[in-house]
Amino acid sequence: MKTRILICSVLLFLFCIFGCSQKSEPIKTLIVTGQNNHAWQVSHVVIKRILENSGLFTVDIAQSPAKGEDMSDFKPDFAAYQLVVLDYNGDRWPEGTDKVFMDYVRNGGGVVIYHAADNAFRGWKEFNEMLGFGGWEGRNENDGPYIYLKEGELVYDESPGPGGSHGMQHEFTLNSGNREHPVTKGLPEKWRHAKDELYDRMRGPGKVKDVLYWAYSAPDTGGSGRDELLIFTVDYGKARIFHTALGHAGKTPEDNTAMQCAGFQVTLLRGAEWAATGKVTQPVPADFPTETTVSLRKDYREQQ
């Protein structure tokens, strides 16, 4: 008996030394940026800060040449990363870069589509399937149906009309569409988002997998009068794709209300971890917004 107890004690000691002390390696992440009709100079810096402040990610930047410049040498090594965050809306990549990126996605790579990245590359069908939906760049009924919710059900609306719009920036309430998904599990059913653009009338050829959060686009703010998808996943082969339309970048990291919203940051972090690994290990933070109260993280880290 004493021998058995001694052996168990030794095994427990070894487990604590070699098992408990081992931490997961940070998720190797690439942010693609460099062109955008939004303030990419602010957004990619802030996204990097949010991800790295969590301690879960290490982040590199792939910055494209400026608009109109030679793109032939823009060749990020997507396969070297567990996660790719798209903060890009600009000139088309070289054909070889297109192929390498789509190979990464088809092979099950993790992707986060952030805000105006869903405006990019109207003419690239596979990319638009991966987005789920997009807007602007002249999109219309030829680019896929409008995708929204009606009475809690997904609608793929073939009606003609332009794709992509938003009313005035304002605070609005996010409503859960799936409380059991790893990204949303434990988060409130409703929460108040800081002043932001509320994308509506989005359309595309993709298939939505999980509606995580949606918001009503009120006509009195210039909106569609529909329940619009703002955070969701996309059904695209083996890939895990997390799409957030939130987070319009301000003029500086300090003047940046939408991205300072704790709800934006937490859902981005949870969506990024899920896209990279298929799970979420992060606890629900105490500073998450409530249904009636906005919560800001001005330094882009959890408030203790």
Side-chain angles (χ1 to χ4, degrees):
M1 177 64 73
K2 289 183 179 179
T3 302
R4 184 180 300 174
I5 292 172
L6 178 61
I7 292 171
C8 290
S9 298
V10 170
L11 290 174
L12 179 61
F13 173 77
L14 291 173
F15 174 79
C16 290
I17 294 296
F18 296 105
C20 299
S21 62
Q22 291 181 352
K23 294 182 179 179
S24 298
E25 290 294 320
I27 295 166
K28 193 174 181 184
T29 302
L30 181 69
I31 298 175
V32 182
T33 191
Q35 293 185 39
N36 210 306
N37 61 317
H38 291 60
W40 65 267
Q41 299 91 338
V42 173
S43 57
H44 84 277
V45 170
V46 168
I47 292 170
K48 185 177 192 292
R49 195 176 300 176
I50 293 168
L51 294 176
E52 291 190 333
N53 281 349
S54 74
L56 294 173
F57 304 85
T58 58
V59 181
D60 294 331
I61 305 296
Q63 182 175 323
S64 75
K67 186 174 178 61
E69 293 185 355
D70 182 10
M71 293 282 284
S72 59
D73 289 331
F74 184 63
K75 300 175 181 179
D77 183 10
F78 299 108
Y81 296 89
Q82 293 171 265
L83 179 69
V84 173
V85 179
L86 297 180
D87 178 30
Y88 184 90
N89 175 23
D91 292 342
R92 184 65 180 270
W93 299 337
E95 183 177 345
T97 301
D98 288 0
K99 182 181 184 306
V100 170
F101 177 67
M102 293 313 301
D103 286 345
Y104 166 82
V105 176
R106 291 192 200 98
N107 288 331
V111 180
V112 170
I113 299 150
Y114 156 69
H115 198 53
D118 65 18
N119 299 183
F121 304 145
R122 176 193 176 191
W124 183 1
K125 186 174 185 294
E126 284 185 307
F127 183 85
N128 281 269
E129 289 174 350
M130 184 203 72
L131 292 179
F133 63 39
W136 293 274
E137 281 205 343
R139 283 176 169 85
N140 58 35
E141 59 272 16
N142 297 317
D143 300 290
Y146 291 116
I147 306 176
Y148 54 89
L149 288 173
K150 186 173 183 180
E151 298 179 352
E153 299 295 328
L154 271 171
V155 175
Y156 291 85
D157 181 347
E158 303 283 351
S159 300
S165 64
H166 61 78
M168 67 180 73
Q169 292 189 42
H170 63 290
E171 292 183 7
F172 49 88
T173 298
L174 275 294
N175 304 273
S176 179
N178 182 340
R179 303 196 69 189
E180 295 304 314
H181 192 277
V183 172
T184 56
K185 195 171 182 65
L187 297 181
E189 184 174 4
K190 297 175 180 288
W191 55 274
R192 190 75 173 171
H193 180 42
K195 184 178 179 182
D196 200 351
E197 295 177 341
L198 198 169
Y199 279 10
D200 58 25
R201 301 182 179 92
M202 304 292 278
R203 63 189 316 151
K207 296 297 180 184
V208 172
K209 188 172 184 179
D210 304 291
V211 179
L212 302 181
Y213 280 105
W214 58 271
Y216 177 63
S217 180
D220 61 6
T221 66
S224 64
R226 296 172 177 164
D227 294 336
E228 301 286 356
L229 281 59
L230 294 177
I231 305 177
F232 60 95
T233 71
V234 181
D235 187 358
Y236 191 87
K238 295 188 294 183
R240 284 186 296 271
I241 299 171
F242 174 80
H243 187 147
T244 178
L246 302 180
H248 180 74
K251 295 178 181 178
T252 66
E254 295 72 34
D255 179 14
N256 194 26
T257 303
M259 297 186 80
Q260 288 172 332
C261 176
F264 166 75
Q265 293 179 40
V266 171
T267 53
L268 174 66
L269 285 167
R270 292 170 72 94
E273 185 182 12
W274 172 81
T277 70
K279 59 184 180 181
V280 175
T281 62
Q282 303 162 57
V284 177
D287 65 342
F288 198 84
T290 69
E291 183 176 351
T292 58
T293 306
V294 168
S295 174
L296 299 182
R297 295 178 171 181
K298 293 189 176 182
D299 61 356
Y300 302 105
R301 65 176 71 244
E302 183 178 349
Q303 304 303 299
Q304 301 299 327

